Amino acid sequence: MGNVFSIQCGDALIGRCWDCVAGQALYVCQLEDNLQELETARDKLRELSNDVMRMVISEEAPQTVQLDRVGGWLSRVDATITEVNSLLNRATRERQKLCLAGCCSKNCKSTYMFGKSVSRSLKHVVGLMSEGEFKEVVISAPAVQLQANLEALRTARRELWASKQDVKRKVDLEEGQQKKALQQVLLWLSMAEAMITEAEELERDGPQQVQKLLAGDISNYMFVGRVAKKLEDVIALKAKGDFKEVVERTLPEPVVVRNVNPTVGTESTLDEAWSFITGDQVGIFGIYGMGGVGKTTLLTQINNRFATISNNFDVLIWAVVSKDLKLEKIQEQIWKKIGFLDDKWEKKSLREKADDIFHALSRKKFVLLLDDIWQRVDLEEIGVPLPTRQNRCKIVFTTRSYRVGRQMEAEKMIKVKPLDWEEAWALFQKKVGDIDLDIVPLAQDVAKECRGLPIALITIGRAMASRITREEWKHALKVLRSSASSLPVMEDEVFQDMEVEVFVRLKFSYDSLSSDKVKSCFLYCSLFPEDFEIHKRGLVNYWICENFGDRNESYSIICSLVGACLLEEQGQHVKMHDVIRDMALWIACKYEKEKHKFFVKAGAQLTQVSEVGTWEGSKRMSLMANSFERIHEVPRCPDLLTLFLSDNRLLREIGDGFFQFMDMLNVLDLSGTCIRELPMGISKLNSLQYLNLSGTLIRQLPVELKMLVNLKYLNLEDALDLNMIPRGVISSLSSLQVLEMVDVGVFAVQEGEDNILREDKIIEELQCLEHLNVLSSTIKSVSGLQSYINTLTLLNCTRSLRLELFPGPQSLNIWWLTNMKNLEVLVIVGGGNSEDLDVDVVMEEIETHDDAGGGLGNSMISRETCFNSLNTLNLMGSLRLKDLTWIILAPNLTDLHVGNNNHIEEIISAEKLDDVQVGDENFNPFFKLEYLNLENLPELKRIYPKALSFPSLKQIDVYECPQLKKLPLNSSSANGGKVKIEAEERWWKDVEWEDDSTKTTFLPCFVPSRRWY
């Protein structure tokens, strides 16, 4: 028997084979039908192609071109018809191969391939026919089209300019007392101005682009589209400028109440000044008198009276002039009150700013209070309209000189005289406190030596507050009586005889300071310009590096100087009364010159550094806030300890030899200058302990800086261009205690293994600083932050931290930062690449109960786990967070700024708050909050679930938060409405109040925002 061979096939395999065979058979069975359809479709396609060609021929002209898509379609049609004709020519032969009624072929493979080609061509022809429906087949040539659009743009731009002028004239005509332009009108005018400028630029460049296109150069074909788009925009903007109303009636600007110490004996003088303000006879009047007699106090009382007495003035403006007269500074103070101060306005010329101010003030009934004038101020040059009987505006100023008052063309001059005896004695008693009866006669004699001057009565009275024996009072009286007689005669343009008499009496307070160290600290404050606000922390850092004392002792000295009325406290800043500063300079530069050797030209408007020979022998020098651009001199200052060159905004260059003969220099402040590199000679400053380069344009720290081994303080903050710090420079500063590096190298960081500004390198350097106790820095990645917080030596010294532009979908757990026990300032900034950055708190160290998934679950918030030192929080940009409930962990927060976030719905979530046991049913997370700024938060609906007391609140700013309808306030919040609320008027009108009493309380607190949206 033969072999038996068998194949076993599954059903699935048989099915697949059948599908394949059947599919191929269709191409054979349908071949005849497909050939007929293909021939018909070819004819229709040819007819359509002929129609399109006739359209092209009829519409083409010398200034038009055929559309590329039309030409491409016609080419594809020609190729396809050729291909179809070829197939149809083969059809006779392929038909002869068919058998079994056309369902089979004598050559299956050949017929199958032919049938498939026919089917594919048929589909292609049908597709081309559907593509051939053209509404237009030619367009104007690019050059012609551009030329036409440029002409249309020119016409539209002129029409927009005319509309802008019409709207502006309408505003000028209707705007006036208690009427101002609508924000939408101002925004339209601003947009129109910008649009006109942009259109003019395109028109200017247009002819050159037309010539290029005519020459066949289409490299900048995008320009054609830009012109077309700008034409559409101009036409659309013009259509939006049809305003039915351009102004609205407004309430008078709220008065900013200024702090003033209680006084005695000024009522009659205040009433006289007020009568000039309310009457029609006097437009300009001055208040004059010797330094320290109370002129600024009287002006402040006038200012504050506007807040309590009804009046019909539109705006009250306060501006400080000071000895170093700067018209731009006065303009800035005025414009802050009546306009919108931004970079664009600051770049304008003096004349342009004056025009803006004049335009705004000429439509208002204003009162301008100018404090501390030393020479004639040209009001016209500033832009201030002069008061007239018609406008009934008022200008009031203070000056020490009657002559200056007359130069100001004052119609009346009010002299502020020293207090009479009864008033002087009352003020002196108030400052001293209880006085034993047997000491009263001596105390009265001491008070009489103050000659009725309030500032002398206050400072000397405070100095005597702790003296309880007759011997102490006798000694004080002896000192006061002997100082004047022993005073050397001085003829000086700064220190006049009358002023010197005041200084002699004020010097008693200086002499009464507890030690020479405290006296040196007091005189140190005179190095700053007049009216300069000195940051307490900055002052402490100076003093530490001057070896006046440690941090705690330095803060204690500030408190003692404030207590002695020799410094004025203003939040985190202190400043010197101008008379006290003059007295300090008189002591340091004149009376005890050989001892202190001060050289002070701060704010003196110097345009060049000269007479460096006079610097020799100086111990402390201040050339702050001047206008010189370079220093090439080589001064010989072997005894110089302190040099302030800060805030010289034009200073770009310091010669390499400048520091050659300053071997003893302790403190060097170059902050706020435009220097791009440090002079080589800086490496010779072996004694230097303080170096401030913040806000400079420096690009690289020189390697030679590592020679400054005694440096305790280095500030690089806001050195935005700094892109390179060589390896070993920071780690070599072995004495460094304070390093401030927030916003360093913002624009770019130079690549290279030796550049420690790369996050993976800088931590290594910081770990080498054994004495570092204050650190501020910027971190730009979650991984960088994790490395940072895992470095225990950095946690306790971190005071300020900026987390910026974390890219990609990541989570930032705020709980990671709780080990930074001294963290005071936290800034989190998101950018376009950080939309997916999830910011929240996941508690890792506290046991959670029901909420095992993390977040603010059922946990007792203990003080040990809070951000107890955090006082400032700033969150900006695209961060994925719905609320900021975790800020309840920061009980000492004073400043909260949240802005530019499209996700946040609540500041503190009611739902999450209910889940947290805070240990106190009266818990107030904003107990110490002073400033709340909410900006561009389109989804924000609520700040807090209920009204809070806000006992420390000073200001609320709300911008572009359309869904925020209610503030967490009641009638007793913010000490009964002692707060400023700045927002858009359209938002303010829709605010919902707790009750009518709350509304009445806070309506006067509103200040309309001058931002343009």
Side-chain angles (χ1 to χ4, degrees), residues 732-746:
S732 297
L733 306 177
S734 55
S735 301
L736 202 62
Q737 299 177 14
V738 179
L739 177 60
E740 305 199 44
M741 294 184 63
V742 169
D743 282 342
V744 169
V746 168

Side-chain angles (χ1 to χ4, degrees), residues 142-166:
V144 176
Q145 181 183 355
L146 177 58
Q147 185 66 48
N149 283 345
L150 284 169
E151 292 174 2
L153 180 62
R154 185 176 296 108
T155 300
R157 188 256 304 165
R158 288 171 177 170
E159 291 175 352
L160 178 61
W161 181 87
S163 295
K164 186 200 77 168
Q165 294 300 104
D166 290 343

Side-chain angles (χ1 to χ4, degrees), residues 904-906 939-943 963-966:
I904 191 165
E905 298 176 1
E906 299 175 281
E939 299 300 322
L940 180 66
K941 299 178 180 66
R942 182 164 58 182
I943 296 173
Q963 298 196 56
L964 180 64
K965 301 298 184 183
K966 190 174 183 179

Side-chain angles (χ1 to χ4, degrees), residues 568-756:
E568 300 172 3
E569 190 169 29
Q570 298 181 347
Q572 296 300 313
H573 297 80
V574 290
K575 64 180 292 188
M576 274 185 154
H577 187 286
D578 55 352
V579 175
I580 297 293
R581 178 176 181 269
D582 287 346
M583 182 265 288
L585 289 175
W586 171 73
I587 293 173
C589 301
K590 296 288 182 178
Y591 190 64
E592 297 179 357
K593 179 180 180 180
E594 292 307 312
K595 177 179 179 181
H596 302 291
K597 296 183 179 179
F598 273 38
F599 184 95
V600 182
K601 294 289 184 180
Q605 303 186 54
L606 301 178
T607 57
Q608 60 182 4
V609 175
S610 59
E611 300 179 359
V612 294
T614 61
W615 299 5
E616 188 171 351
S618 298
K619 289 184 178 179
R620 307 202 191 279
M621 285 185 57
S622 176
L623 295 172
M624 288 179 65
N626 283 290
S627 301
F628 45 81
E629 298 183 11
R630 55 185 57 86
I631 304 176
H632 287 160
E633 291 76 7
V634 182
R636 294 182 177 271
C637 303
D639 300 324
L640 190 63
L641 301 173
T642 308
L643 178 57
F644 286 0
L645 291 172
S646 52
D647 292 330
N648 284 294
R649 303 294 177 183
L650 301 180
L651 179 58
R652 291 178 171 81
E653 184 181 348
I654 300 176
D656 285 338
F658 180 73
F659 297 116
Q660 185 173 353
F661 302 106
M662 298 183 184
D663 296 342
M664 299 292 291
L665 194 64
N666 277 338
V667 170
L668 175 60
D669 193 337
L670 297 170
S671 61
T673 63
C674 289
I675 60 171
R676 294 188 177 276
E677 59 183 17
L678 291 174
M680 296 295 292
I682 199 169
S683 61
K684 299 181 181 297
L685 302 178
N686 297 321
S687 300
L688 196 65
Q689 299 189 36
Y690 178 106
L691 178 59
N692 193 337
L693 301 174
S694 63
T696 63
L697 302 181
I698 189 168
R699 296 170 178 171
Q700 179 173 338
L701 289 189
V703 175
E704 292 78 12
L705 209 66
K706 64 170 62 178
M707 304 297 292
L708 307 181
V709 293
N710 291 307
L711 199 67
K712 295 180 181 178
Y713 177 95
L714 176 60
N715 191 337
L716 303 173
E717 285 194 351
D718 297 318
L720 306 181
D721 292 330
L722 180 58
N723 58 44
M724 173 64 175
I725 300 180
R727 183 195 295 270
V729 170
I730 298 296
S731 58
S732 297
L733 306 177
S734 55
S735 301
L736 202 62
Q737 299 177 14
V738 179
L739 177 60
E740 305 199 44
M741 294 184 63
V742 169
D743 282 342
V744 169
V746 168
F747 298 132
V749 172
Q750 194 177 121
E751 294 296 326
E753 287 297 316
D754 288 335
N755 188 1
I756 69 162

Side-chain angles (χ1 to χ4, degrees), residues 510-566:
Y510 167 79
D511 292 334
S512 299
L513 294 174
S514 59
S515 66
D516 287 342
K517 179 190 294 184
V518 177
K519 291 176 182 177
S520 295
C521 289
F522 165 71
L523 296 178
Y524 202 92
C525 296
S526 67
L527 293 171
F528 299 92
E530 185 175 330
D531 296 313
F532 189 87
E533 293 187 353
I534 312 168
H535 199 286
K536 292 179 185 176
R537 174 175 291 173
L539 191 57
V540 166
N541 286 325
Y542 286 125
W543 289 352
I544 291 173
C545 296
E546 298 282 12
N547 300 312
F548 290 161
D550 61 19
R551 192 165 299 275
N552 291 332
E553 184 180 5
S554 296
Y555 275 110
S556 177
I557 291 173
I558 291 176
C559 290
S560 67
L561 293 175
V562 171
C565 295
L566 294 173

